[in-house]
Amino acid sequence: MNMKWFFAACMLVTATVQGAQNTDCNIGPDGVEEGMGWAGFENPKAPQVCMTHAGRERCFYFYVPECASENSPLVFDIHGTGSCPRDSAYYTGWATLAKENCFVVVWPLGTFDPALAEKSCFAFEGGITMKSGQPTSNCCCTANNYVFVTDLEPFQDLSFIRKVAGAAVQEVTDSTNGKVTIDTKRIYMAGHSNGCIASHAMASQHSDIVAAVCCHAGTSYVDFAPSYEPVPSWSLHGAKDCDMFADGATQEGYGAIGQIEDHARISAKNGCTEEAQTPVLDGATEIGYTIKSTKCTSGADVTKVMLNDAGHIPYLNGGEFEACTESTPVTIDTTAMAWEFCSAYSKAVAPDLSMAPKAPKPDDKPNSAPKEATTPAPPPEDSSSPAPPPGESSSTPAASASPASSSSTLLTWKALLLPLAIIAVVADRMA
C-alpha cells in the first residue's frame, strides 16, 4: 500500500472513533462514569443523553443515586473551561454528596468543537456595567489565541442548559420507570469557574427555573433579564485565586466584576436590606469570612464566602491540583456548605421548563421561597483539578492522580498521525 493512503486510512479510523475535540477529556458515553470511578464509586451509572441544539449535537450526563425517590432535587454541576463532566464528577464532590443526600446530578457538556473554541467552554454575552464604567466582557469561549468570541449564535448555551433541565426531568422518570422523579421546584445551579459563571447567568436570565445558586470560583458576566425574579445565591471564592481574580479585572478588552461588587449587585437586585459579616472557622482557626445579605425579597438571601488563602480550586483536598502557587489547600468541605445553602430553598410553584422564560405579570409574586427546614449535608469525598488562564477552569486531573482515558490515547495517536500523513502526501507528490 502507498504510504500516503496508509496514513490517510489511519487518520480516517481515528477520526471516526473519536471526533475532533478541543480537550483530551473523555466525552464519550462513559465519560462521567470514568470520573466517578476515580472518585471511588463502584460500577457507577451515569448515562449520556444527546440532542440537537442550535444546529449541533449537544449532550449531558445524569446520575440517579439508589436512594433517590419521587420528587428528588436536581443539581447542575457545570464544568469549567478546558474541563469536562468527567473531571467535575471526579473533583467537585457533587456526585458523592448526591449519593449521601439522595438528589440527582446533571452534567451538561460545553462546546468541544475546535472550529468554534480553543478549549471546551460555555459562552455568554457580557454587558454588566461595573462601578468602573466598563462593561463585563463576553465569556468564556476563546479563539485566535485567547480572544473571546463575539459571535455567540453557534453556542446558545443558556437555552441549552434550560433544555437540559427539561430533558433531564424526563430522562430520570423514564430510566427509572417512574420510581424516581424530579421536583422541578428544586433545580439548583452549581459549577466551577466557567460553570459558576454559567450558574449566575442562568439565575439572571432564566430565574423562573432556578431555585438557588451555589457555585465555586466564578462571578457574574450576564446582566439580569427584565423578567428576573429574586434567586437565592451562594458563592465561594479564594482570595488568592490566580486565575479569576477576586477583585475582578478592568484591563483593555476584558472586564470582569469583582467578588464583593458582584455580591452587592445581586443583593441590591434581590431587595436585601440587612448585611452581616462573620468569620469562617476551621476548628478555632479563622480562615476567611462570610458576607450574608438577608431580609431579601421572597427570602432570596445572598451569601459570599471568601477564603483567605484559597486559590482557583476551592474544594476539599484541592491542593493536589491547585495551580495558584501562593495559595494553600482548602481544609473545609465547601461542597457540603454549598448544598446546605441550596437545599434550604424551593420555588413556590413548579416552573414551566419550556424554552422561553415567562415574563411575570404586574401582580405576580416572585416565584422563590425558603423551605421550612434545612437539613445540613454531611461532608462528601472531594477532589480537585488544576487551573489555567483568566476566567478558565481546570482541565483533566493529573495523570499521576487519575487513570488516562481512552480519548486521551486516541487524541495522542491523532496528533502523531496527522504530521506523518502530511509528510507522506508531500513525499508522494515529490516522487
Side-chain angles (χ1 to χ4, degrees), residues 17-255:
V17 175
Q18 177 71 51
Q21 59 186 58
N22 55 10
T23 177
D24 63 354
C25 279
N26 176 3
I27 58 172
D30 65 341
V32 163
E33 292 169 0
E34 183 178 29
M36 291 175 70
W38 294 346
F41 284 75
E42 295 184 4
N43 301 314
K45 300 297 181 185
Q48 183 188 65
V49 178
C50 296
M51 64 184 80
T52 299
H53 179 72
R56 296 189 292 128
E57 183 180 70
R58 299 294 299 272
C59 304
F60 67 91
Y61 303 82
F62 68 96
Y63 166 58
V64 182
E66 291 184 2
C67 62
S69 59
E70 293 183 355
N71 292 318
S72 294
L74 179 67
V75 174
F76 274 74
D77 184 11
I78 307 175
H79 69 78
T81 303
S83 189
C84 66
R86 178 196 66 180
D87 295 355
S88 293
Y90 174 52
Y91 73 81
T92 66
W94 281 109
T96 301
L97 206 57
K99 183 179 179 181
E100 296 172 347
N101 290 270
C102 308
F103 59 81
V104 176
V105 186
V106 61
W107 294 271
L109 273 164
T111 290
F112 286 81
D113 185 350
L116 294 175
E118 291 165 316
K119 291 188 176 184
S120 56
C121 58
F122 295 90
F124 312 108
E125 183 177 9
I128 296 172
T129 301
M130 299 182 287
K131 287 182 178 179
S132 65
Q134 182 176 341
T136 54
S137 308
N138 286 1
C139 189
C140 299
C141 293
T142 63
N144 302 319
N145 294 319
Y146 298 102
V147 176
F148 287 108
V149 296
T150 55
D151 180 10
L152 301 183
E153 186 63 25
F155 299 91
Q156 300 184 34
D157 280 318
L158 291 179
S159 58
F160 166 62
I161 294 171
R162 187 184 183 100
K163 182 183 285 187
V164 168
V169 168
Q170 190 62 52
E171 289 290 338
V172 168
T173 301
D174 292 347
S175 65
T176 62
N177 295 317
K179 294 179 181 178
V180 180
T181 59
I182 297 299
D183 179 357
T184 57
K185 299 189 299 297
R186 293 190 289 165
I187 297 176
Y188 307 116
M189 294 290 157
H192 178 221
S193 194
N194 187 184
C196 184
I197 292 166
S199 295
H200 284 302
M202 283 299 296
S204 295
Q205 290 289 312
H206 294 267
S207 60
D208 60 312
I209 72 167
V210 181
V213 168
C214 40
C215 65
H216 292 66
T219 189
S220 298
Y221 280 77
V222 181
D223 210 348
F224 300 108
S227 59
Y228 176 79
E229 51 194 45
V231 174
S233 179
W234 180 101
S235 59
L236 181 144
H237 210 86
K240 294 186 177 178
D241 190 330
C242 62
D243 188 340
M244 180 162 286
F245 303 131
D247 291 335
T250 56
Q251 63 211 54
E252 184 177 353
Y254 177 68

